[in-house]
Amino acid sequence: MRTRYSAWNLLAASRRDHRDWAPAWLDAEPKPRYDVVIVGGGGHGLATAYYLARNHGVTNVCVVEAGWIGGGNTGRNTTIVRSNYLYPESARLYDFSVRQYEQLAQELNFNLMFSQRGVLTLAHSRHDLDAQSRWANAMLCNGIDAELLDAAQVRALEPRLNFGDTARPARHPILGGFLQRRGGPARHDAVAWGYARGASARGVDIVQKCAVTGFVKQGERVTGVLTSRGEIRADKVALAVAGHSSVLAGLAGFQLPVTSYALQAMVTEPVKPVLNTVTLSPSLGAYWSQSDKGEVVIGGALDHFPSYAQRGSFDVMQHVVAATCEMFPSLGRLRMLRQWAGIVDVVVDSSPILGATPVPGLYINCGWGTGGFKAIPVGGWTLAHQLATGRVHDLAEPFQLDRFRTGRFIDEAAAAGIAH
Ligand code: FAD
Ligand code: PYC
């Protein structure tokens, strides 16, 4: 029996030394068949399962995860949630997601620690200022909040940035920036766990340590998956495997225009609050925020060679650390605590691929590349809609795989920013 999380239940459980809490979700054994099998227990796979059950009443669903849920990019990312994209199609998609995040902790009864402290993008040149005013104006036209800031306003928000002075001018002067106040970080694990808990409570099976190794087919149609724990039949199969999308597509017999790269991040030892916002410097290729534990979270660009090794190269790490010392000199003596990488699924127009594949019975959610954490609610919502109703959700319509045939790209490389 699932317990509702509340101050009252916390107090009540403390009287029994917290020994009676029910598991947040059940680690299921796979059954022989389901209506829907979802491959990948990251945020997108789990959100798809949750919305299938919650929005459509489809509960005979299994999420099959090779490792542990949230152990892929969902548990490795720097958790920036924002909707400051350029094109109307993306603005609608990502802002739907931000709006879901705004009420998701309540809905899931799980503290996602979404902190709308603002996402600040720095301008270091006239060119940056021009590009950002175009970007902010596009956002305003799309009905999304955006504020252009001058240098004094940036300094007021983030005083530890290196503004230089007349004696020692900054190497990368800060001329201004732009801010999306509704943006900010959330707790990555909690998003996976919250969706898993919500899905499991509605009857979805979550099967961990179960790798999909192939597909069962009748003619061209996918009718199940082959896994390290046996065959599982399904009416429909959905892939939400991020950096492994091309591998699974290959097993199913089609190609995806997705390249997999390592994207890395790192955190310092924890300190008292020193950063107020999530700050990005696209020109320097680095970004910073501070977690609620106090660690300074630092990220940068992709490793510029395809890889499935979840490590991250030394030269990107060195670049990011140098940029940190340059932009935040007062952080220069902090010790680095952890560094890691995830394998991200990059598409030429930096926009996702959502919906049907060329293989009947097989659906996909991928191509989020460096920016799919913010999109977990909308990725799950739209894929669940298509799986349950057979119709493409309006928000997902521009992001179908056939755009690589028609050329109807939505090029968001600039908004994907730092990590590209
Ligand atoms: P994942 O969380 O990777 O889940 C896919 C799952 O599929 C994995 O758990 C994997 O084990 C499983 N799987 C793979 N193959 C198989 C198989 N054969 N059988 C069964 N299971 C399989 N996005 C943002 O919005 N904001 C950010 O600030 C941000 N920063 C990032 C920083 C870093 C360092 C990284 C790596 C990514 C960042 N991202 C960010 C991107 C974001 O993390 C991803 O787009 C998002 O988490 C993808 O979620 P997912 O559920 O599709 O994939
Ligand atoms: O999507 O905001 C983002 C992001 C920043 C760094 C990596 N992804």
Side-chain angles (χ1 to χ4, degrees):
M1 176 64 190
R2 193 176 69 129
T3 322
R4 191 173 162 74
Y5 297 151
S6 67
W8 169 250
N9 281 338
L10 195 62
L11 190 68
S14 72
R15 296 162 68 104
R16 298 183 299 276
D17 291 334
H18 295 284
R19 274 187 296 238
D20 299 344
W21 288 105
W25 68 89
L26 299 177
D27 202 11
E29 288 298 315
K31 294 193 296 227
R33 69 158 292 119
Y34 293 90
D35 294 343
V36 180
V37 163
I38 297 164
V39 187
H44 283 275
L46 293 164
T48 305
Y50 171 76
Y51 290 121
L52 270 171
R54 175 199 179 267
N55 292 359
H56 304 282
V58 180
T59 56
N60 187 22
V61 174
C62 181
V63 178
V64 181
E65 166 54 48
W68 62 96
I69 61 166
N73 295 340
T74 299
R76 293 165 186 270
N77 80 97
T78 45
T79 77
I80 303 174
V81 175
R82 58 185 172 88
S83 54
N84 53 356
Y85 284 72
L86 201 60
Y87 292 98
E89 296 88 340
S90 323
R92 286 197 303 143
L93 187 80
Y94 289 103
D95 207 51
F96 179 90
S97 218
V98 173
R99 280 188 273 111
Q100 290 301 315
Y101 265 116
E102 284 171 342
Q103 55 80 49
L104 202 55
Q106 289 285 346
E107 177 184 326
L108 295 175
N109 178 227
F110 206 93
N111 187 0
L112 305 184
M113 298 162 76
F114 180 34
S115 160
Q116 293 177 288
R117 62 185 72 167
V119 173
L120 169 65
T121 307
L122 299 176
H124 298 288
S125 63
R126 285 286 334 156
H127 172 80
D128 283 355
L129 285 174
D130 286 351
Q132 288 183 10
S133 67
R134 178 174 174 237
W135 188 351
N137 282 328
M139 287 170 63
L140 293 172
C141 289
N142 291 329
I144 312 252
D145 61 305
E147 292 166 50
L148 282 171
L149 307 180
D150 60 23
Q153 289 168 308
V154 173
R155 191 193 284 259
L157 264 180
E158 218 44 281
R160 281 172 200 274
L161 277 165
N162 183 4
F163 290 87
D165 53 35
T166 31
R168 292 184 61 185
R171 189 168 171 204
H172 301 283
I174 297 167
L175 305 189
F178 98 101
L179 179 69
Q180 185 181 24
R181 267 186 213 275
R182 287 191 306 135
R187 162 111 190 157
H188 44 13
D189 299 323
V191 173
W193 297 339
Y195 275 122
R197 179 166 171 265
S200 180
R202 287 168 171 79
V204 168
D205 278 356
I206 296 170
V207 178
Q208 302 183 100
K209 296 189 196 132
C210 182
V212 169
T213 53
F215 294 89
V216 187
K217 282 190 172 179
Q218 256 173 16
E220 286 302 298
R221 187 173 193 83
V222 162
T223 55
V225 289
L226 303 171
T227 81
S228 51
R229 289 166 69 175
E231 189 174 302
I232 309 175
R233 296 276 173 158
D235 294 343
K236 292 177 182 170
V237 175
L239 303 178
V241 291
H244 287 80
S245 299
S246 306
V247 178
L248 271 289
L251 292 174
F254 70 103
Q255 281 196 322
L256 276 176
V258 170
T259 312
S260 295
Y261 297 96
L263 178 64
Q264 61 179 295
M266 58 204 80
V267 291
T268 68
E269 60 187 322
V271 286
K272 286 189 174 171
V274 288
L275 300 181
N276 301 317
T277 61
V278 176
T279 303
L280 303 93
S281 170
S283 311
L284 264 78
Y287 61 98
W288 308 269
S289 66
Q290 191 168 14
S291 75
D292 290 344
K293 277 189 282 184
E295 299 161 344
V296 177
V297 181
I298 307 172
L302 289 170
D303 283 1
H304 289 288
F305 50 90
S307 173
Y308 289 100
Q310 291 188 131
R311 285 191 295 269
S313 67
F314 184 74
D315 61 330
V316 169
M317 194 192 322
Q318 193 184 31
H319 175 90
V320 165
V321 170
T324 304
C325 296
E326 187 64 36
M327 294 313 297
F328 289 100
S330 61
L331 304 184
R333 299 184 64 183
L334 290 183
R335 280 167 294 193
M336 213 52 92
L337 209 59
R338 297 189 300 281
Q339 177 272 359
W340 65 89
I343 304 304
V344 295
D345 40 340
V346 175
V347 169
V348 67
D349 65 352
S350 307
S351 287
I353 300 171
L354 303 172
T357 72
V359 180
L362 187 63
Y363 299 79
I364 197 157
N365 163 335
C366 75
W368 298 103
T370 61
F373 177 73
K374 66 178 80 65
I376 285 171
V378 76
W381 186 292
T382 54
L383 186 58
H385 175 93
Q386 186 160 359
L387 289 165
T389 66
R391 294 190 308 276
V392 179
H393 193 284
D394 279 355
L395 290 172
E397 192 281 326
F399 300 99
Q400 303 297 295
L401 183 56
D402 76 351
R403 74 177 186 275
F404 297 93
R405 194 172 44 77
T406 62
R408 206 163 53 108
F409 292 141
I410 301 163
D411 191 342
E412 287 288 0
I418 299 292
H420 272 230

